[in-house]
Amino acid sequence: MKVFITGGTGYIGRVTIEALRRNGHEVVALARSDEAARTVSELGATPVRGALTDTDVLREAAAQADGVIHLGMNQSEDAGAIDRAAAAAMQDGVGSGPYVHTGGAWVYGNTKGVADENAPLDPPQITAWRVENEKSVLARAGRGGHPVVVMPGMVYGRSGGLPQLLLVDQGRTNGAVPCIGDGENRMALVHVEDLAELFVRALGAPAGSVYVGVGGQNLPFKDIAEAASRAAGVAGKIHHLTLDEARGMLGLLADALVLDQQFSGERARRELGWRPAHQDALAELAQG
């Protein structure tokens, strides 16, 4: 397939371009700068100059592709509105071809045990905007479109993702890794390479499908923090914060980081034959 991708220069996007190319697909990637164009070119993709706000560019690039993977997100206060307009433009362009939209598992809130895609939604404020956007995306299935939504858990691996940014890097800078509260809340993790493979497989999913992208590891925050402290060279040094202290440092992100979430990820395994290869997140995190 010829696949148009947004967010191709990001943490997940770069690995997804690699996975698409490895699986034999031709990749065209949105690039908003000369540097971004060079990056996607080096990964084997053809750059298309533009930003997520350039809906005409998005529509035309999607129309020239067999499928679309939307990974990009505008880091601004109107991120939700930009995301919705971008999604609509690309779905208009690709028509009945597969359109894979990126959501996030945080919209489920606290799961109260191991959950699946049918769990009720209770998003923290930071991701509440995603709910209506994803409903709008999925509604295209009833009008001849082919939408698929992938909802990643906490992404780690290749020295990136929030565990690296918020824990390892902070440990190196401050001499201790932050942990909100007692850290007993669980996080559903997925390795970035496994997630990239899921995005590739999602291009062949049935229209209207939703998949929680998790690798099957639901780990306590305190254990993740402990592993991160070893990667940071400050083994065992954990700085416990109250939720209010964390909000002062991280804003709305703090409320997402205290969610207690457990997911099986079984639907993607069953329907798409997805087989996450990375099953020891703590060991990989400890190694940095």
Side-chain angles (χ1 to χ4, degrees):
M1 295 175 64
K2 180 178 180 180
V3 179
F4 175 56
I5 184 173
T6 69
T9 61
Y11 170 53
I12 299 170
R14 296 184 190 207
V15 187
T16 301
I17 290 177
E18 292 175 5
L20 285 164
R21 297 281 295 148
R22 188 168 57 250
N23 282 274
H25 300 295
E26 177 186 352
V27 185
V28 177
L30 187 70
R32 61 182 177 181
S33 68
D34 290 342
E35 181 180 359
R38 284 193 297 271
T39 297
V40 298
S41 294
E42 290 169 357
L43 290 167
T46 301
V48 170
R49 289 299 299 270
L52 286 178
T53 50
D54 298 324
T55 52
D56 288 343
V57 172
L58 299 178
R59 187 179 298 106
E60 179 61 22
Q64 298 298 317
D66 302 307
V68 174
I69 297 177
H70 177 34
L71 286 166
M73 191 178 82
N74 195 288
Q75 300 293 337
S76 64
E77 291 185 358
D78 55 350
I82 291 172
D83 181 75
R84 175 174 282 202
M90 288 184 282
Q91 287 186 281
D92 287 344
V94 77
S96 60
Y99 167 81
V100 182
H101 187 87
T102 305
W106 282 344
V107 297
Y108 288 100
N110 296 311
T111 62
K112 300 177 182 178
V114 180
D116 62 16
E117 289 80 358
N118 295 322
L121 303 181
D122 184 20
Q125 187 177 344
I126 195 170
T127 62
W129 59 268
R130 289 191 179 277
V131 174
E132 291 303 317
N133 283 21
E134 287 156 18
K135 286 181 181 177
S136 178
V137 164
L138 291 169
R140 292 285 187 118
R143 306 199 299 272
H146 196 128
V148 178
V149 175
V150 173
M151 309 178 80
M154 178 69 73
V155 188
Y156 75 98
R158 292 200 183 186
S159 298
L162 285 180
Q164 179 75 28
L165 178 66
L166 297 180
L167 302 179
V168 177
D169 290 353
Q170 286 295 310
R172 288 173 178 159
T173 300
N174 301 321
V177 169
C179 179
I180 306 173
D182 60 13
E184 293 288 347
N185 61 300
R186 291 180 176 269
M187 294 184 168
L189 277 72
V190 62
H191 194 282
V192 65
E193 294 174 2
D194 290 329
L195 180 60
E197 288 292 336
L198 176 56
F199 276 111
V200 175
R201 289 177 178 267
L203 289 165
S209 299
V210 178
Y211 301 99
V212 174
V214 295
Q217 299 179 84
N218 301 303
L219 304 176
F221 192 169
K222 65 178 184 180
D223 292 353
I224 297 169
E226 169 65 28
S229 73
R230 283 180 272 154
V234 292
K237 294 184 178 179
I238 310 295
H239 178 208
H240 289 273
L241 304 168
T242 66
L243 181 55
D244 284 341
E245 289 172 333
R247 286 169 175 159
M249 294 172 57
L250 303 172
L252 297 177
L253 179 59
D255 291 278
L257 294 175
V258 295
L259 292 175
D260 185 42
Q261 293 196 318
Q262 299 182 67
F263 291 99
S264 69
E266 177 58 29
R267 179 181 291 178
R269 292 167 175 77
R270 183 178 66 251
E271 296 185 3
L272 304 180
W274 181 52
R275 296 291 180 267
H278 298 265
Q279 294 297 316
D280 196 346
L282 295 181
E284 291 199 41
L285 287 169
Q287 292 168 5

